[in-house]
Amino acid sequence: MAPILQVAKLAKRFGGNQALAQVSFSAEKSEITAIIGPNGSGKSTLFNLLASTLVKDSGTILIDAKTVTDKSDHILAKEMLSRTFQDTRIFTYLTIRQHMELALSTKDQSLIKSFFARQENNDDAINNALNWVGLEHDLNEMGANLSYGQTKLLTLAMAIAKNHKILLLDEPVAGVNPKLRKKIAKILQKLRSAGETILLIEHDMDFVLSLADKIIVLDLGKVIMEGTPKQILASKNVLKAYLGR
């Protein structure tokens, strides 16, 4: 069976800076694949190219053996990919329910209409996603009243709720306390067990090494190594450059 995600010779240049150079890798279904590397290595550019929020210079992307390289970000977000961002993107004056309904909306309507389009048949999907992340809060609670950790859980619930084949998680434990870090790790483990395919960027290497099935190491826009956590730990170059060991 072919990997669910196949990336071949993906390249992107910004002026004189080669952000990604012939990047190739794959991700298997129902596994957690981590992308690591120092700042400026191309991790965010890679995610933006996968999500089609940036236009590639060259290369191909296949999801479920179908070429999606030239699909719009709207189509990918609607059918293939669900994404979280390092900075928690929630709206201060929208409720938890409205955030979840916005994530679940599949209609081609304006953003403002999506905010207030109450759809009663979404209740099961909303409750299911919130249960996954353990966010036990009044659905009418405003985003302004949530803690940083709670906003992390809400954005993860929104990503889970959306129709997708792959979850793209950008630094899911950045800035969270150790207790919440352990909780998020357990959530991702349960999602993997339930069949979710997860691609994540994360600087917390202990988190990555304890969770990932495969790790892709980027440096200066190139893949310098990929392998299991055990293989990554055995690489002296990776340990020195990225783990400080």
Side-chain angles (χ1 to χ4, degrees):
M1 184 179 294
I4 190 169
L5 173 66
Q6 299 174 75
V7 177
K9 298 182 179 180
L10 203 59
K12 180 65 179 179
R13 179 182 289 275
F14 298 102
N17 177 37
Q18 187 73 53
L20 285 183
Q22 304 295 305
V23 166
S24 300
F25 70 93
S26 62
E28 300 295 332
K29 184 177 175 60
S30 304
E31 288 190 358
I32 297 175
T33 302
I35 310 293
I36 70 169
N39 291 333
S41 61
K43 303 184 299 298
S44 294
T45 299
L46 173 60
F47 262 31
N48 288 333
L49 291 177
L50 292 177
S52 211
T53 55
L54 276 179
V55 178
K56 66 175 177 58
D57 292 337
S58 60
T60 58
I61 302 168
L62 279 72
I63 297 178
D64 257 357
K66 297 178 182 178
T67 301
V68 299
T69 313
D70 297 319
K71 286 187 178 292
S72 70
D73 58 338
H74 172 73
I75 295 297
L76 285 174
K78 189 175 181 180
E79 299 177 359
M80 299 284 186
L81 304 174
S82 192
R83 183 179 183 182
T84 68
F85 294 83
Q86 180 183 353
D87 52 325
T88 53
R89 302 186 175 192
I90 68 166
F91 298 91
T92 303
Y93 296 109
L94 289 183
T95 65
I96 290 175
R97 176 184 289 282
Q98 287 168 336
H99 278 92
M100 295 302 299
E101 289 183 340
L102 179 60
L104 284 162
S105 176
T106 58
K107 295 181 179 179
D108 295 328
Q109 57 189 1
S110 74
L111 190 61
I112 296 298
K113 287 183 179 179
S114 295
F115 286 164
F116 302 102
R118 177 71 183 274
Q119 300 179 37
E120 297 293 342
N121 62 353
N122 278 341
D123 284 356
D124 286 346
I126 289 172
N127 290 327
N128 182 57
L130 292 174
N131 286 337
W132 267 112
V133 303
L135 185 58
E136 298 176 357
H137 244 60
D138 185 339
L139 292 181
N140 294 315
E141 189 75 69
M142 291 290 184
N145 297 329
L146 300 180
S147 68
Y148 177 76
Q150 289 166 341
T151 63
K152 278 280 193 181
L153 293 177
L154 176 57
T155 56
L156 181 54
M158 292 170 67
I160 293 169
K162 288 179 64 176
N163 182 41
H164 64 275
K165 293 181 181 293
I166 302 172
L167 281 175
L168 299 181
L169 307 181
D170 193 346
E171 298 195 35
V173 295
V176 306
N177 61 50
K179 183 178 180 180
L180 183 55
R181 176 185 173 280
K182 290 180 181 179
K183 179 175 181 176
I184 292 174
K186 290 181 180 178
I187 292 168
L188 299 189
Q189 288 169 336
K190 289 180 180 179
L191 287 170
R192 173 176 55 193
S193 296
E196 288 279 6
T197 303
I198 300 170
L199 191 67
L200 64 86
I201 294 171
E202 185 53 63
H203 286 289
D204 186 330
M205 291 311 304
D206 288 333
F207 181 85
V208 168
L209 292 168
S210 68
L211 197 65
D213 297 290
K214 181 164 74 171
I215 299 173
I216 312 295
V217 185
L218 287 180
D219 187 27
L220 298 176
K222 298 179 180 179
V223 175
I224 63 168
M225 184 176 181
E226 63 178 283
T228 65
K230 185 176 180 179
Q231 291 169 329
I232 297 299
L233 280 170
S235 169
K236 293 181 179 180
N237 290 336
V238 173
L239 288 174
K240 182 178 180 180
Y242 304 111
L243 308 186
R245 301 177 184 173

